[in-house]
Amino acid sequence: MAEKELNETEAVREKAMADLRAMMDEEEKKGEVKFHRRDDSFLLRYLRNKKFEVERAFAVVKKWAEFRRDHPEIYSNENYSMRALEAAYRTGYMQVLPDPDKFGRAVVLIDVKKVDFHKMDFEAYVACGMYMLEVMLEDARRQVAGAVYIEDIGGLSFKNLMGLVRFMGKRKAMFQETMKDAIPIRIGGIYFMNQPWYLSFLLALIKPTLKKKMKDRFHVYGNSWDKLYERLMPKEHLPPNFGGTKELHPDDFIEYAKKIEAGLKEKGITL
């Protein structure tokens, strides 16, 4: 799949990684940014994201390094940790399906009604999302195929929506940085389900921060679960709160994440 989708071969891969490391070395000599990782898995997520166009991949990895430098509150030990990810994941707000969609992409579920945006800590929220993304991207299949997001926004009260507006408005610039320029994952689509009539407020807030390609990947399906099943995956792969029949257990992804973290630590690498 990697060769077909991304023109990836062993020769292309090795040369691109060498070229990217050289560009990172030169950038670090300027003394403005420091890259916290240089291992193959880390570099390949950026190269695959940009179809092995090294200069474009470097622009993203540099932006990521700048984001980490400029937002130490996100990467604090309190917010950016396995402990914080585990606590957030157990709320059921975010889930990663064990099965990919029919195109091989990772599927992330977001159940908005399980969050009170008036009380949510923005930095902690972003940190958990980033940590989960780092875990997901250790899987080469996800680097190649990318991910889709399914958001159930049924039950999102107007009051909570206004909390979300304030929540995102406070850090609009940060949201733009991460969504537009720094995330090394191919996002195949964002699917909104059970949306209330005032969804337009939410989309009006988010869409201006996105590039045209990302805007085109927004899909509003309402209660048309059959349409979602046909488009992405059978209902047997989704949990009951997303119209399916599969029982998900938070411990499955948490244990997977812990194994990823432990494996990297053995190599002297931190997420």
Side-chain angles (χ1 to χ4, degrees), residues 68-258:
R68 291 179 69 101
R69 177 198 65 195
D70 296 341
H71 298 288
E73 72 280 8
I74 299 297
Y75 293 94
S76 69
N77 291 333
E78 179 180 356
N79 287 334
Y80 189 75
S81 66
M82 181 60 65
R83 178 174 52 81
L85 173 64
E86 182 173 354
Y89 200 85
R90 289 192 185 282
T91 67
Y93 169 60
M94 292 187 293
Q95 295 174 293
V96 180
L97 291 186
D99 303 305
D101 73 354
K102 63 172 63 176
F103 303 103
R105 300 173 298 194
V107 180
V108 180
L109 306 180
I110 298 178
D111 194 344
V112 176
K113 64 179 175 292
K114 294 189 176 181
V115 179
D116 185 341
F117 290 103
H118 290 279
K119 298 179 180 179
M120 177 176 276
D121 182 310
F122 182 87
E123 284 74 21
Y125 163 79
V126 174
C128 285
M130 295 300 186
Y131 205 92
M132 187 176 77
L133 180 66
E134 292 282 355
V135 169
M136 290 173 57
L137 285 173
E138 285 302 308
D139 187 332
R141 295 170 300 177
R142 290 167 175 161
Q143 294 176 5
V144 174
V148 294
Y149 290 75
I150 305 174
E151 301 197 22
D152 183 353
I153 50 181
L156 178 65
S157 68
F158 188 79
K159 178 182 178 181
N160 209 17
L161 175 63
M162 291 300 99
L164 176 58
V165 170
R166 287 191 291 272
F167 171 78
M168 295 184 63
K170 290 179 181 178
R171 298 290 190 277
K172 185 176 180 180
M174 185 189 296
F175 187 77
Q176 288 176 317
E177 284 181 76
T178 55
M179 286 299 291
K180 289 173 64 176
D181 303 311
I183 293 181
I185 191 168
R186 304 170 73 194
I187 298 178
I190 301 175
Y191 296 81
F192 295 99
M193 307 300 298
N194 293 328
Q195 74 276 2
W197 62 267
Y198 41 80
L199 172 67
S200 56
F201 285 98
L202 182 61
L203 294 180
L205 174 70
I206 295 175
K207 278 195 169 185
T209 71
L210 305 176
K211 294 179 179 178
K212 182 180 183 302
K213 183 183 291 186
M214 182 58 68
K215 291 179 185 178
D216 293 341
R217 291 173 182 167
F218 273 47
H219 307 279
V220 181
Y221 279 7
N223 296 319
S224 301
W225 289 101
D226 287 341
K227 187 176 180 181
L228 182 76
Y229 305 148
E230 181 180 357
R231 174 61 181 164
L232 297 182
M233 63 198 318
K235 65 186 298 183
E236 290 77 16
H237 290 184
L238 288 162
N241 58 321
F242 278 79
T245 59
K246 187 180 183 70
E247 292 295 333
L248 296 182
H249 303 284
D251 286 342
D252 292 343
F253 182 78
I254 291 168
E255 290 305 312
Y256 168 77
K258 288 179 177 179

